[in-house]
C-alpha cells in the first residue's frame, strides 16, 4: 500500500450500492407488489412461512439443503449481515477489495475489520497464506477473529473464484475456527459462454458456512430490498439462526408486505422471472465484455468479468497521464471518470482497496441506455452492441481512455468479438492485483 488518502479525503464510511440493472421492472413483479400493497397485517420478523419455504426451495435447487427453521429473511443484505455479525461476535476478516456494504456493519458494532489480499486470478476470497498469516497476527496482537465474509461471485471484481481456491480458503478458515458467511448475491448472474464453474462453500463445509443472498443482485430492483440467509444444519447453526432472529426483531428489521410478496415471487422462480434473468444476464455479459476490451485497448488492466453487471479497472499504467490531469489517487479517479463518463465510477477505496491505487468499479447498467425506451430496446435486441445508444456510451468510455495515453486505443473494442456473440472476455492483459 502507498498509504491513506490525504487529510480530508477519507476514510470512506459508506460505499456505493450494488450496481443497478438499468432495466424496466418486470411487469409480473410489479403486479405482485401492487396486489400486496393493501395487506393490513405486518410480516413476522424473519419472514412468513411462504417466503421461508420459497427461500428453502431456491437453495435446494442449487444443492443446498436446509430446514425452514434454518432460513430467515430481512429487508436487505446490510441488516442481515449486521445481525449475523452481532450474533457471532469477535473480529471480522474480509477480502481486499470487497463489496462496499460489508464493512460498515462491523464498524457500526465497534468490531475490528481486517482486509486480506486476494489471489492474483480472482477476487472474492482471501489468499490462503495471507489469511493464515492475518489470523496469526491478529491473535498475537490480542484480537479475536471469528468471522470471514467472502463471495463466490464477486462485487467489485466481477470474478468467480476457482473451486480449488475457494476450497483452500474455506478449509483454512474452518481450521482456524472461523465462521464463514458466503455472500451469494451474484451467483445467478454467471456470464454465458465462459468456462466458469461456481460452487458454494456450504456444499464443501456445510457445518461452518452461512449463505447470504441479497435479492437486489439478480432479481429485485433497489426499491424492493430483500435478502435471505441459510444457516448450517447443526446445533450451532440453530443457535445462530435464533440469535439473528432476535437481532432482527429487536431492531425492527422486518420486510414490508409488498417487498415480502416480491421476494416470495422471485424465489419461487416462475417462468417470467427466469426468462428475464437469463435475458438480463446475457445482455450485461455482452456489454461487460465490450467494456473489458475497451479498457484493455485503452491501456488499462482488468480481470475478465465472469458475473454480475460491473467490472473492476486498474488504470495504474496510465498514471503519468492521469497525474497530469490532477488524478493521483482513487478518489481523484472516481471524480475524473464520473465526470468524463457521466455515470458512477466509484473508486477502489470504497471497496477497501488501496486508496493510492488507481482502481475503480464500472457498471454496465448505465451503458444500456439513458431512457426507459433505450434500456428496453437493449433488453430485446439481438445485437445490443449495434444499437446507437449502446455504441455511443461505449464510445464515450473509449474516448476517455484514448485521451490518457499513446496505447492502442484506436483499435475497435467491440468489433473483433462481436461475431461470436458469446460475451466471453478471456483475451488480453489482466490485472495482477
Amino acid at each position: 500500500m502507498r498509504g491513506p488518502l490525504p487529510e480530508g479525503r477519507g476514510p470512506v464510511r459508506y460505499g456505493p450500492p450494488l450496481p443497478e440493472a438499468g432495466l424496466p421492472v418486470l411487469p409480473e413483479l410489479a403486479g405482485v407488489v401492487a396486489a400486496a400493497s393493501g395487506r393490513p397485517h405486518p410480516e413476522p420478523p424473519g419472514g412468513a412461512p411462504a417466503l421461508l419455504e420459497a427461500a428453502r426451495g431456491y437453495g435446494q435447487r442449487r444443492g443446498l439443503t436446509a430446514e425452514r427453521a434454518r432460513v430467515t429473511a430481512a429487508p436487505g443484505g446490510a441488516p442481515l449481515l449486521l445481525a449475523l455479525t452481532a450474533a457471532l461476535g469477535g473480529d471480522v476478516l474480509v477480502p481486499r477489495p470487497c463489496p462496499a456494504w460489508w464493512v460498515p456493519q462491523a464498524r457500526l458494532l465497534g468490531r475490528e475489520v481486517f482486509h486480506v489480499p486476494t489471489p492474483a486470478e480472482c477476487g472474492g476470497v482471501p489468499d490462503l497464506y495471507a489469511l493464515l498469516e492475518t489470523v496469526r497476527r491478529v491473535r498475537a496482537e490480542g484480537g479475536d477473529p471469528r468471522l470471514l465474509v467472502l463471495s463466490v461471485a464477486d462485487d467489485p471484481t466481477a470474478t468467480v473464484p476457482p473451486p480449488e481456491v475457494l476450497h483452500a480458503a474455506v478449509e483454512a478458515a474452518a481450521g482456524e475456527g472461523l465462521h464463514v458467511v458466503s455472500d451469494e448475491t451474484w451467483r445467478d448472474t454467471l456470464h454465458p459462454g465462459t468456462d466458469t464453474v461456481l460452487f458454494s462453500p456450504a456444499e464443501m463445509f456445510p457445518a461452518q458456512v452461512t449463505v447470504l443472498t441479497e435479492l437486489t443482485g439478480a432479481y429485485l430492483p433497489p426499491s424492493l430490498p430483500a435478502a435471505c440467509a441459510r444457516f448450517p444444519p447443526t446445533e450451532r447453526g440453530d443457535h445462530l439462526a435464533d440469535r439473528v432472529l432476535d437481532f432482527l426483531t429487536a431492531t425492527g428489521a422486518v420486510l414490508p408486505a409488498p417487498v415480502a410478496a416480491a421476494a416470495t415471487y422471485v424465489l419461487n422462480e416462475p417462468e417470467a422471472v427466469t426468462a428475464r434473468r437469463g435475458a438480463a444476464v446475457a445482455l450485461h455479459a455482452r456489454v461487460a465484455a465490450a467494456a473489458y476490451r475497451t479498457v484493455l485497448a485503452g491501456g488499462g488492466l482488468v480481470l475478465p468479468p465472469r458475473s454480475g453487471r460491473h467490472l473492476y479497472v486498474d488504470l495504474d499504467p496510465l498514471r503519468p497521464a492521469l497525474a497530469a490531469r490532477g488524478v493521483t489517487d482513487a478518489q481523484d479517479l472516481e471524480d475524473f471518470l464520473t465526470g468524463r463518463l457521466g455515470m458512477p465510477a466509484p473508486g477502489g477505496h470504497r471497496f477497501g482497496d488501496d486508496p493510492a491505487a488507481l482502481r475503480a468499479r464500472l457498471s454496465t447498467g448505465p451503458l444500456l441506455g439513458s431512457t426507459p425506451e433505450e434500456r428496453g430496446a437493449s433488453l430485446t435486441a439481438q445485437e445490443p452492441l449495434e444499437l446507437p445508444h449502446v455504441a455511443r456510451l461505449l464510445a464515450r468510455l473509449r474516448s476517455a481512455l484514448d485521451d490518457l495515453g499513446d496505447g492502442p486505443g484506436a483499435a475497435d473494442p467491440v468489433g473483433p468479438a462481436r461475431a461470436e456473440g458469446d460475451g466471453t472476455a478471456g483475451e488480453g492483459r489482466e490485472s495482477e492485483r
Side-chain angles (χ1 to χ4, degrees), residues 284-311:
H284 283 286
R286 294 286 298 278
V287 175
Y292 166 83
R293 294 189 294 271
T294 299
V295 173
L296 292 179
L301 301 175
V302 59
L303 289 169
R306 300 301 192 195
S307 65
R309 38 186 180 250
H310 47 278
L311 66 163

Side-chain angles (χ1 to χ4, degrees), residues 32-246:
V32 168
V33 173
S37 62
R39 293 181 186 175
H41 304 295
E43 294 289 306
L51 172 55
L52 301 183
E53 179 63 21
R56 185 198 63 79
Y58 168 88
Q60 191 168 42
R61 290 189 293 275
R62 287 153 180 80
L64 304 177
T65 59
E67 299 298 329
R68 185 184 302 168
R70 298 192 183 102
V71 181
T72 194
L80 193 47
L81 183 57
L82 178 66
L84 277 162
T85 306
L88 287 164
D91 301 328
V92 181
L93 280 70
V94 297
R96 180 191 298 275
C98 71
W101 59 276
W102 286 1
V103 173
Q105 324 311 319
R107 287 180 175 164
L108 187 63
L109 295 167
R111 304 289 167 73
E112 293 288 342
V113 179
F114 298 92
H115 291 266
V116 185
T118 56
E121 67 267 33
C122 67
V125 299
D127 174 81
L128 168 63
Y129 298 105
L131 172 63
L132 293 172
E133 174 59 21
T134 301
V135 171
R136 184 202 65 77
R137 176 174 55 82
V138 171
R139 287 178 174 154
E141 295 175 356
D144 182 21
R146 296 189 194 178
L147 170 62
L148 169 65
V149 189
L150 53 76
S151 179
V152 298
D154 186 44
D155 169 25
T157 66
T159 59
V160 176
E164 63 276 13
V165 173
L166 178 66
H167 186 279
V170 177
E171 183 177 41
E176 293 294 334
L178 304 180
H179 189 79
V180 175
V181 169
S182 175
D183 178 6
E184 303 191 2
T185 295
W186 298 103
R187 69 165 295 153
D188 292 330
T189 66
L190 296 188
H191 294 179
T194 71
D195 57 356
T196 304
V197 177
L198 184 149
F199 282 97
S200 170
E203 298 177 72
M204 304 171 177
F205 298 89
Q208 285 83 31
V209 178
T210 294
V211 175
L212 187 155
T213 304
E214 164 64 78
L215 297 178
T216 302
Y219 295 96
L220 295 176
S223 57
L224 299 171
C228 56
R230 300 174 62 81
F231 298 93
T234 63
E235 183 176 343
R236 186 185 179 203
D238 291 340
H239 177 71
L240 179 59
D242 290 340
R243 290 291 297 141
V244 167
L245 183 57
D246 287 343

